[in-house]
Amino acid sequence: MTGRYCIWPPLALIFHFMKQIFENVSVEQKAFYALLATAFTIPFSIALGQLFVGLCLLVFCAGVAQRQIRVHLPSVLVVAGVFIGWAIVSSVFGGTGHGLWQRCGKLCWFFLIPVTASLLVQPERSLKLIRSFMAGCALLSIKDLVLYPVLAWRKPVPDFLTALIDKGSMTDGQMLMLGVVGSTFLILAMVKTGRRVVWWEWAILVVSVAGLLINFKRGSWFCAIILVGVAILWNLRWRAWIPAILVIFLFFMIPPVQSRLGQLKREFNVEGGGRLTMWFKIAPALIQEHPQGVGYGCLTNEMMRDVFRWVEPSRNHLHSNWAQVLVETGWVGLMLYLIWMGKSLGDGIVWIMRGKGRSAVERANAIVVMLMLAGLLLNGFVEYNFGDTEIIILYAFLMGMAAAGARRPEMIMKPILNGRL
């Protein structure tokens, strides 16, 4: 496939979104298409994603000013606001006024929670947002499948496999994990309800699985396996579990996968300077010395090395959301964080429970969003995914979608996508 044909599909989608944004449609529709463009581009391009976020915010504010968009401020936003306020205060006292925006500016992306909740006034919009994100994940996967082997081949130090593993990205791995989980559940839901799955839906799943594999992020692998297992249990009878178990077994038999999993034993050494060192040596020492926290975004490798000299070099996070939030914002910050995440999961549960008696599309949307949010939180136990702009935007999307679904009144579903899921 030539470069021209590889580049054209994503460009065509971006041009389509731009056309819809600037066409003679309502301001509310323009804002929604800008939101779709954000969901599509954020997996593979943070620059494009931020561009469309900014465009979405401008159009959204214009719609609010013209009274064409009704703002919904979900209750989860209150908890988020309290945590963000506490984080900023801790950063001021833990650091200096200089660099405050660099440390805390990323938290502003959570304004997408009310934007998303306000724009998802119809169930079919949730599905469009999910599918736009999955299309972006497929494009990210293609980029990684092409780029990572080339980079590893050009500099195979100390060998090709090690170089390939080193190219993997935690952010890409989590994006693709969500793409795999969401695609799997939607396909299984379609099969369960007797709807036809077209080739491009299978293609997105297969490509995303391949991209997830080549990123070599073990936490994302295990999260995907757990949540895909939940999707299978939810949708298929027990006889279908056998081929799924066989696929997982074959996955673990792949030599590069075995090599990567074999490295786990280093992580279980408390004295090894890795995760267990950070969680059971560094975090307890720092929170005992700073019960109010060292300040959001203020943790440095020097602070960690003062506690344990042989910790991972050049690392300024503790490979875990709970540990990072605790050390940086103290016990109060951790409590607020847990309430915030619990409220978001609660919104997802309410949406699922209210989905009984609604269309298959509405129920599938609710469960997919719940699984994706659970995937981020589950991965957050072993990775610090609360500090990357791309992942924060995903958190905001999912929280806004869950809040919109939890409040959405009973409605008659409109036919969408020719009656298909």
Side-chain angles (χ1 to χ4, degrees):
M1 182 179 289
T2 64
R4 179 166 63 91
Y5 292 109
C6 290
I7 293 173
W8 175 245
L11 286 180
L13 272 174
I14 293 173
F15 289 148
H16 169 71
F17 290 133
M18 293 296 292
K19 179 182 176 184
Q20 295 294 331
I21 292 170
F22 291 104
E23 269 192 345
N24 187 24
V25 295
S26 70
V27 174
E28 194 265 353
Q29 288 176 301
K30 293 178 188 290
F32 175 67
Y33 275 106
L35 193 68
L36 283 180
T38 302
F40 172 66
T41 55
I42 198 63
F44 62 87
S45 173
I46 185 172
L48 282 174
Q50 290 175 319
L51 171 66
F52 282 112
V53 168
L55 188 58
C56 177
L57 180 61
L58 289 174
V59 177
F60 182 83
C61 290
V64 172
Q66 297 172 17
R67 298 186 179 181
Q68 295 188 29
I69 296 178
R70 183 179 179 181
V71 179
H72 171 59
L73 300 177
S75 54
V76 69
L77 188 63
V78 176
V79 188
V82 174
F83 173 85
I84 291 171
W86 177 261
I88 293 173
V89 170
S90 73
S91 187
V92 170
F93 285 98
T96 63
H98 178 71
L100 180 63
W101 175 256
Q102 184 179 3
R103 297 194 300 272
C104 299
K106 66 187 74 173
L107 295 173
C108 293
W109 295 112
F110 283 111
F111 71 76
L112 277 173
I113 294 176
V115 171
T116 304
S118 301
L119 293 176
L120 297 187
V121 293
Q122 299 166 344
E124 59 264 32
R125 285 191 170 183
S126 297
L127 182 61
K128 290 179 180 179
L129 195 62
I130 292 169
R131 282 188 162 160
S132 293
F133 171 72
M134 291 176 184
C137 286
L139 189 59
L140 168 66
S141 182
I142 293 172
K143 183 202 77 172
D144 290 351
L145 288 168
V146 173
L147 185 61
Y148 288 170
V150 171
L151 293 177
W153 176 77
R154 292 177 61 183
K155 195 175 182 180
V157 179
D159 54 69
F160 176 78
L161 179 58
T162 303
L164 184 60
I165 291 173
D166 289 341
K167 300 302 177 187
S169 164
M170 182 273 287
T171 302
D172 288 6
Q174 292 186 81
M175 292 277 188
L176 294 169
M177 178 267 293
L178 296 181
V180 168
V181 171
S183 296
T184 300
F185 189 90
L186 286 180
I187 288 176
L188 291 177
M190 291 169 65
V191 171
K192 183 178 180 180
T193 55
R195 301 166 191 261
R196 186 173 65 90
V197 183
V198 296
W199 68 270
W200 58 265
E201 292 168 321
W202 286 111
I204 286 177
L205 175 59
V206 172
V207 169
S208 297
V209 169
L212 178 62
L213 174 61
I214 205 171
N215 267 275
F216 289 100
K217 292 302 174 185
R218 295 164 299 198
S220 297
W221 286 352
F222 286 119
C223 288
I225 290 171
I226 292 170
L227 295 176
V228 166
V230 171
I232 291 173
L233 292 174
W234 197 296
N235 288 284
L236 300 181
R237 297 179 179 178
W238 67 270
R239 292 184 182 86
W241 303 352
I242 298 176
I245 294 173
L246 179 61
V247 170
I248 294 174
F249 175 77
L250 293 175
F251 169 78
F252 284 117
M253 290 297 103
I254 300 174
V257 174
Q258 290 186 327
S259 174
R260 183 64 172 143
L261 294 177
Q263 298 172 3
L264 276 174
K265 58 184 179 183
R266 292 185 299 184
E267 297 291 345
F268 291 102
N269 180 7
V270 179
E271 304 293 331
R275 284 172 170 78
L276 291 190
T277 301
M278 296 178 182
W279 301 343
F280 295 105
K281 279 186 173 291
I282 295 175
L286 288 176
I287 194 60
Q288 184 175 7
E289 184 178 353
H290 306 277
Q292 78 288 351
V294 301
Y296 184 82
C298 296
L299 182 64
T300 64
N301 190 252
E302 288 73 20
M303 292 180 184
M304 297 164 66
R305 291 176 67 84
D306 286 343
V307 177
F308 190 84
R309 182 178 178 182
W310 293 279
V311 72
E312 292 181 18
S314 305
R315 188 76 64 187
N316 65 350
H317 64 264
L318 298 171
H319 284 301
S320 176
N321 288 347
W322 64 267
Q324 189 80 11
V325 170
L326 173 62
V327 167
E328 289 192 335
T329 62
W331 292 105
V332 174
L334 179 62
M335 179 189 66
L336 293 172
Y337 169 81
L338 293 176
I339 294 174
W340 181 9
M341 298 303 115
K343 180 64 176 79
S344 296
L345 290 175
D347 285 342
I349 293 173
V350 169
W351 189 10
I352 292 173
M353 296 302 294
R354 290 182 177 177
K356 294 179 179 179
R358 296 185 184 178
S359 71
V361 177
E362 179 81 348
R363 296 195 301 272
N365 288 347
I367 298 169
V368 166
V369 170
M370 185 68 172
L371 288 177
M372 292 172 72
L373 183 56
L376 282 182
L377 294 176
L378 189 62
N379 218 152
F381 277 102
V382 295
E383 290 287 0
Y384 179 52
N385 64 11
F386 205 63
D388 287 347
T389 296
E390 303 97 310
I391 303 298
I392 285 179
I393 289 175
L394 283 184
Y395 269 115
F397 272 146
L398 296 172
M399 290 175 180
M401 293 172 73
R407 77 176 174 91
R408 189 178 294 125
E410 294 291 340
M411 61 180 66
I412 300 175
M413 284 291 298
K414 299 176 182 179
I416 63 170
L417 300 180
N418 296 324
R420 294 175 52 255
L421 252 177

